Amino acid sequence: MAQSGRGGHRVLWSLLVAVIVLGALAWLGLNWLSAYRSAEAFRTEITGLQASITARDWAAVTASVPKAREASRTLAEATEHPTWRLLQDLPVIGANATAVSELAVAASALLTAAEPLTPYAQRIVDGEVRRPDGSIDLTMAVDVAPLMSRLALVIDHEADRLGRIDASALRPEVAEPLQQLRDELAGAAPAVSTAADLVTRVPALLGADGERRWLVLLQNPAEARGTGGFPGAYVTLAARDGAISVVSAGKSGDLNARPIPSSGAPADSQLLWGDFLTQWNTFNLSPHFPLTGELAAEGMAARGQGVDGVLAVDPRTVAAMLEVTGPVSAGGVTLTAENAERFFTVDSYAELPDLAERDQVTVALVGAVLQAFLSASWDPVLLADALTEPIAQGRMRVWSDDPAEQEWLVTTPVGGAVPNGKGSVVAVAFNNAAGNKMDAFVATSVDYQPGRCATSPTQQSELAITLRNDAPLDLPLESGNYSRADDPTAPEGSTKLLMHVYAPVDAVFGSATIDGQPLELFLGEEQGRPVWWTYVTLDRGQERAVVIDFEEPTVLGVEPTVLPQAMVIDEMVSVRPVTDCA
């Protein structure tokens, strides 16, 4: 009986162990199921939030963000449970479980930081950003600034968290959303950081501390200039405590009566550009916009119309503003987001052949668009969608006479600075040298092949530049805007450009060719960079290729970059590092 009793105890013990094991497995299963359901709930909330943002339904966004944030928090808590931790220690599946946990934590942190901002989006759309008199309520910017700064920090932190995950070890179901969030954070990080800085500075820029005067220049790339285009029209604005008004407007020809004092320009710029810096139609040949801003301010001061800052825009930026405002009419012309760029760069010369009439209509249109934009109801997503591309392409430039503001501006996409630090950074400036509007049809490309060899103190690099004249056969030659002022005997449809190559700091020129034939370049310097320049003529339909070989110092910590120029036909830029340690 005793033996039978011991056997019964063993059976009972085995059954008890089995029950415990089965219970544990059930418990684990329930917790894993809970995590799965949390993930599904989170995905549902995020999908709804994305739909609300796309529809610009800010009331729905405001309501959805807390729900998505709560769903992400629940998912994060589920993946912090000890049972989930067991999964993370398993082979194969462990990496995926860890990645899901990190995604959940990142999403929760991002949504928590974004949630306080959502009510302001609806207030902006509802027009609450403006006071009853139409001026901008700067107190909202004061409230939003710390929230934006906090969001920028969280984005950086979570981008770093997700960047440490090895996506190659993950299943597609996990790797794809991980990479999507990585990409979105990479794109959002600089924009949110810049926006946070901008919101912090908006009160001062709009006159919270006293009146600020701004000169707004319309640069027309149909006649190329280093910073964008010929300054065809200008408007001066006064900003005081958020109230913005137009003070004056005119064409650049109105400014030419008094030259720009250029004695304050750097010596290398004066030597490179000479008297061009003193004329309103040529003072922006350099691609370094801080120089252009300083000269414009000096020129306005000489006219007794001092300004505190300079804003330069081109026709594509005007088109972006019209995406926000809708159509604007002035001078018998209606501009839309679809026709504005072509009107300023091409159609106006055919439709308004008389110079005086064209200038009058241009000034009226620029003033009307600015007024409409400044008084519009600003939808945050619409603003971002409309202005992101022009800003990224260098079609909007800003300069401030306040040293702290300017120090910040040169670090942003609107600063337009040619940096003077060492590294594989190049710029190519195209300036119209024919006195015509043919650059509306000129296509350019810049292909930079920097040498990359860590064991060599110098690199052998190559820059290949192509220019093509795509002018149509039906140019309105009678308008006088498509002939060669520098050579009236040149073939119809021909043009001429002045091309300056800003090489890396301490680069040494080797050789150059044009269309395979030796080319001599003039030598200069600006911003601490060697500048190599020449003239290039282009007949209609002709493509020309300039290739420059040079030696540059090894600075491997700087990403090789080409600073593009805003042209009517988007400039094609490529960077192809070449490793050659032979």
Side-chain angles (χ1 to χ4, degrees):
M1 292 294 295
Q3 185 176 0
S4 174
R6 286 196 297 272
H9 284 301
R10 284 198 295 270
V11 171
L12 181 61
W13 178 250
S14 298
L15 288 172
L16 181 60
V17 170
V19 169
I20 292 173
V21 170
L22 288 172
L25 288 174
W27 179 60
L28 286 170
L30 286 172
N31 280 278
W32 291 335
L33 179 60
S34 174
Y36 173 78
R37 287 173 174 169
S38 297
E40 285 296 300
F42 174 62
R43 184 169 64 178
T44 299
E45 294 296 341
I46 285 295
T47 301
L49 176 59
Q50 290 174 330
S52 298
I53 293 173
T54 301
R56 297 187 175 89
D57 185 347
W58 294 106
V61 169
T62 302
S64 295
V65 167
K67 296 177 182 178
R69 187 257 305 150
E70 183 61 23
S72 67
R73 184 188 63 79
T74 301
L75 176 59
E77 288 178 351
T79 60
E80 288 292 321
H81 198 279
T83 56
W84 191 268
R85 294 295 186 188
L86 291 176
L87 286 178
Q88 295 179 7
D89 293 332
L90 297 176
V92 183
I93 197 174
N96 292 276
T98 300
V100 169
S101 179
E102 294 292 281
L103 275 167
V105 171
S108 179
L110 291 165
L111 288 165
T112 300
E115 183 178 358
L117 286 163
T118 54
Y120 291 98
Q122 183 63 47
R123 290 178 60 189
I124 292 171
V125 172
D126 290 343
E128 293 181 28
V129 70
R130 298 188 184 280
R131 304 185 183 102
D133 63 359
S135 62
I136 298 171
D137 184 0
L138 300 179
T139 59
M140 186 180 294
V142 174
D143 294 339
V144 167
L147 301 177
M148 289 290 293
S149 298
R150 170 62 181 164
L151 178 60
L153 290 173
V154 171
I155 287 175
D156 285 343
H157 184 271
E158 299 310 318
D160 180 67
R161 174 200 299 276
L162 299 180
R164 293 196 296 267
I165 300 174
D166 181 9
S168 65
L170 306 178
R171 289 185 56 81
E173 298 91 331
V174 178
E176 289 175 6
L178 170 65
Q179 190 58 50
Q180 181 181 359
L181 185 53
R182 277 176 171 173
D183 292 343
E184 290 179 357
L185 292 181
V192 172
S193 179
T194 298
D197 285 338
L198 177 60
V199 171
T200 301
R201 298 175 188 277
V202 156
L205 294 171
L206 296 185
D209 303 321
E211 184 176 273
R212 298 288 296 271
R213 294 259 174 148
W214 289 89
L215 172 66
V216 182
L217 294 171
L218 175 66
Q219 298 191 115
N220 191 341
E223 185 174 341
R225 294 290 186 271
T227 61
F230 178 84
Y234 75 93
V235 175
T236 56
L237 303 174
R240 178 181 287 276
D241 192 27
I244 306 172
S245 59
V246 175
V247 177
S248 63
K251 59 185 185 298
S252 63
D254 298 336
L255 304 175
N256 283 332
R258 186 180 294 274
I260 298 171
S262 63
S263 58
D268 56 1
S269 297
Q270 293 188 53
L271 186 62
L272 183 63
W273 301 110
D275 289 342
F276 286 135
L277 298 180
T278 68
Q279 303 301 315
W280 282 97
N281 58 350
T282 57
F283 79 106
N284 60 339
L285 299 183
S286 170
H288 186 57
F289 189 75
L291 172 63
T292 296
E294 291 177 14
L295 290 171
E298 291 288 344
M300 294 302 289
R303 295 173 54 82
Q305 299 176 336
V307 296
D308 304 295
V310 179
L311 168 66
V313 299
D314 77 349
R316 196 172 300 179
T317 309
V318 173
M321 292 178 177
L322 289 164
E323 288 185 38
V324 176
T325 67
V328 170
S329 298
V333 175
T334 298
L335 287 184
T336 67
E338 292 72 32
N339 71 7
E341 182 176 17
R342 183 172 174 86
F343 175 80
F344 285 120
T345 59
V346 178
D347 291 345
S348 63
Y349 300 105
E351 297 174 9
L352 303 169
D354 180 73
L355 174 61
E357 181 185 8
R358 186 170 63 251
D359 284 345
Q360 182 179 7
V361 171
T362 298
V363 171
L365 286 169
V366 171
V369 171
L370 276 175
Q371 194 67 58
F373 182 76
L374 293 172
S375 59
S377 176
W378 292 336
D379 181 315
V381 172
L382 183 58
L383 275 174
D385 288 348
L387 294 175
T388 295
E389 181 177 293
I391 289 174
Q393 293 178 342
R395 299 180 184 279
M396 179 186 292
R397 298 300 195 199
V398 185
W399 173 86
S400 171
D401 72 343
D402 180 276
E405 290 176 355
Q406 181 57 23
E407 183 179 1
W408 164 68
L409 282 168
V410 297
T411 67
T412 72
V414 299
V418 176
N420 56 10
K422 293 185 177 182
S424 296
V425 177
V426 301
V428 181
F430 298 103
N431 284 285
N432 184 282
N436 59 27
K437 310 302 179 186
M438 287 290 296
D439 299 326
F441 313 110
V442 172
T444 60
S445 69
V446 179
D447 178 44
Y448 180 29
Q449 297 184 46
R452 313 307 282 165
C453 180
T455 60
S456 174
T458 60
Q459 313 290 327
Q460 298 300 317
S461 300
E462 180 178 283
L463 198 63
I465 305 161
T466 61
L467 305 92
R468 189 180 68 253
N469 183 347
D470 289 335
L473 295 174
D474 60 348
L475 287 173
L477 300 174
E478 65 279 0
S479 69
N481 292 296
Y482 299 108
S483 57
R484 288 270 299 276
D486 67 304
D487 183 6
T489 65
E492 291 183 357
S494 171
T495 192
K496 183 178 182 180
L497 289 107
L498 179 60
M499 185 183 75
H500 286 72
V501 173
Y502 286 69
V505 172
D506 294 332
V508 177
F509 175 76
S511 63
T513 62
I514 183 167
D515 302 331
Q517 300 300 312
L519 172 66
E520 291 188 7
L521 298 178
F522 298 96
L523 306 181
E525 184 177 346
E526 189 171 37
Q527 277 295 99
R529 295 176 174 274
V531 179
W532 309 321
W533 60 278
T534 188
Y535 289 96
V536 179
T537 58
L538 282 172
D539 290 337
R540 181 172 18 218
Q542 185 180 24
E543 179 174 294
R544 309 203 69 179
V546 176
V547 177
I548 302 173
D549 293 304
F550 58 93
E551 183 180 84
E552 60 174 296
T554 299
V555 185
L556 298 180
V558 177
E559 187 72 20
T561 304
V562 174
L563 304 177
Q565 178 168 332
M567 305 285 284
V568 176
I569 300 175
D570 290 342
E571 185 172 81
M572 302 298 293
V573 170
S574 58
V575 179
R576 298 183 295 153
V578 177
T579 301
D580 183 8
C581 295

